[in-house]
Amino acid sequence: MRILIAAAGSRGDVDPYTGLGAGLRRAGHEVTVAAPEPFAPLVRRAGLQFRGLPGRPEALDGATGRRALMRSAAAFVTELGRGFADVMDDATDLLVLSATTAPLGRHLAEATGTPSLGAYLTPTEPTGDFPPVVTGTRSLGRLGNRTAGRFALRMADRLYDRAVAELRGRLGLPPLGPAAARRRQEAANRTVLYGFSETLVPRPADWRAGLEVVGTWWPYVDPAERLPAQLEDFLTAGPRPVFIGFGSMASGDGERLSGLAVAALRRAGLRGVLQSGSAGLAAEGDDVLTVGDVPHALLFPRVAAVVHHAGAGTSAAALRAGVPSVPVPVTADQPFWAARLAALGAATRPVPFGELTAERLADALGRAARDGRHAHAAATAARRMAGEDAVGRTAEVVEGLKGRRGRVSG
């Protein structure tokens, strides 16, 4: 099949689809990934074709408050929608849509009669098991959680009002709002695959048919890739260091965070690897090394603990490596994943980004790196995750959609 995967957002919203796409390509499919232009190198490195989507991912990085995040997200998806109709050609057999692109992609599927499949990285469906992942971690009870979940979906629909209206007009479709389109999909039990591990989030029993948790889609890593020589030398020169990185979060806060991180490491008597990321972390010394873009799959198994912003992908990568986490959630779904790691015992109690100090980080680092209970819980979770085959399960679903052009299936 000729498959088009459409994903947008920050790097963590796109990179997992490079691994999924590479796996589908190995299964014999022709795979193209449509994403914002900055992610073209990631896609092509995985051996996949690339098509550019409008939208500037960096516009989302500085928004930490809920209102600021909503404003930035609305502007981002409106820009995204204006180029969305151009990414698919007549040869496409299947659209695979992320949670960010699905509210747009389902209209493209309707206009062309192309089957589509939801492939989401975080739980979006309301459930009594937990509140919406973007509203915090405090349970409201089963009824309250479901009610809040439905409200969160309506709020997300509002972000797409303008983009959907413009897109349907361009496609020659009659008016239909994003909320009505979503309800139509739900009523038809359209298929959505969730790319996270049931080790972290067991599939809720109250989810409708057609919603399946398949396991984590990992970012593509070339089998021949190795860690940089300087990093390899640092890792072998002493005890296992701690990794500290905030991904695409905390842009422009690098000087403060770097000083804080080094002070915490030295207070805890630990070595550290700092990943520069969007924050621009930077520090050097016999006990500290700064690195750029390094695959988590290669580095995390070599460290004593991981300090991170608790994005879905980084949280899963730390767990997969079997090492404890110190989660420092910033915004959006990050408090949810931080709480999940802590509930497993594979992480210390989360330290909210706004409350991070050298003293609090040093205390958490000491517990994560030296308390064997966290390491044991992380290793146990890693063994469970090792049995998952997210790409294989996705490929089985894709095979079942062959020959269905003309029927929208997701």
Side-chain angles (χ1 to χ4, degrees):
M1 297 178 72
R2 289 158 294 193
I3 299 171
L4 176 65
I5 301 174
S10 67
R11 177 167 178 167
D13 299 312
V14 175
D15 212 0
Y17 298 101
T18 63
L20 174 60
L24 292 174
R25 183 172 176 266
R26 288 193 300 272
H29 303 290
E30 181 181 312
V31 182
T32 300
V33 175
E37 289 290 344
F39 302 119
L42 294 179
V43 173
R44 294 190 173 117
R45 190 183 307 154
L48 307 173
Q49 299 177 53
F50 176 81
R51 291 181 195 157
L53 285 173
R56 298 176 298 107
E58 64 273 14
L60 301 171
D61 293 346
T64 55
R66 190 166 295 168
R67 289 185 178 179
L69 187 62
M70 292 288 281
R71 285 195 299 269
S72 298
F76 178 79
V77 299
T78 298
E79 186 179 359
L80 186 66
R82 288 173 180 156
F84 206 82
D86 300 325
V87 301
M88 195 177 81
D89 57 29
D90 293 337
T92 302
D93 296 314
L94 176 67
L95 269 171
V96 176
L97 302 168
S98 73
T100 304
T101 61
L104 299 168
R106 60 178 63 117
H107 304 283
L108 193 56
E110 177 187 344
T112 61
T114 305
S116 66
L117 176 67
Y120 301 171
L121 302 177
T122 59
T124 59
E125 187 75 7
T127 174
D129 289 5
F130 46 81
V133 299
V134 295
T135 63
T137 58
R138 180 173 172 267
S139 177
L140 305 172
R142 296 197 64 83
L143 177 60
N145 288 341
R146 281 193 291 267
T147 302
R150 289 191 289 270
F151 177 76
L153 287 178
R154 289 196 296 271
M155 293 298 293
D157 290 336
R158 290 176 57 184
L159 297 177
Y160 288 85
D161 278 339
R162 182 175 177 182
V164 166
E166 291 179 0
L167 180 60
R168 288 186 71 86
R170 182 176 177 187
L171 294 171
L173 296 172
L176 182 72
R182 174 178 53 79
R183 288 193 295 268
R184 187 167 67 180
Q185 170 176 301
E186 292 168 354
N189 285 343
R190 305 299 190 197
T191 300
V192 176
L193 305 182
Y194 285 94
F196 52 80
S197 173
E198 289 205 77
T199 299
L200 272 171
V201 186
R203 183 190 185 279
D206 58 357
W207 273 7
R208 65 170 175 84
L211 305 178
E212 300 299 334
V213 178
V214 298
T216 306
W217 300 306
W218 303 107
Y220 174 80
V221 178
D222 189 316
E225 188 165 359
R226 299 291 181 268
L227 294 175
Q230 184 183 20
L231 176 54
E232 187 66 50
D233 290 344
F234 182 80
L235 291 170
T236 57
R240 287 192 174 205
V242 167
F243 171 93
I244 301 177
F246 297 96
S248 60
M249 296 289 104
S251 179
D253 205 13
E255 185 175 351
R256 182 184 73 87
L257 286 174
S258 299
L260 186 154
V262 172
L265 286 166
R266 290 174 179 164
R267 187 183 183 103
L270 296 165
R271 303 196 311 145
V273 173
L274 275 57
Q275 188 166 47
S276 54
S278 294
L281 297 182
E284 296 297 336
D286 292 341
D287 57 347
V288 182
L289 178 70
T290 301
V291 298
D293 184 15
V294 178
H296 292 164
L298 299 182
L299 177 57
F300 282 6
R302 308 279 300 277
V303 302
V306 178
V307 179
H308 58 89
H309 61 296
T314 311
S315 297
L319 205 58
R320 179 196 197 189
V323 296
S325 287
V326 176
V328 185
V330 182
T331 189
D333 62 332
Q334 294 160 17
F336 173 82
W337 296 110
R340 287 280 157 168
L341 287 171
L344 280 175
T348 62
R349 184 176 180 180
V351 181
F353 181 78
E355 302 174 16
L356 186 65
T357 64
E359 292 74 20
R360 291 192 70 178
L361 181 57
D363 179 63
L365 281 173
R367 284 183 280 113
R370 299 189 175 103
D371 187 337
R373 291 173 295 180
H374 292 307
H376 176 75
T380 300
R383 286 193 293 271
R384 291 175 59 190
M385 292 175 74
E388 298 172 349
D389 182 10
V391 170
R393 290 184 63 184
T394 305
E396 290 175 2
V397 174
V398 167
E399 289 292 327
L401 297 175
K402 275 187 177 180
R404 293 194 184 185
R405 190 173 179 87
R407 290 176 54 199
V408 179
S409 56

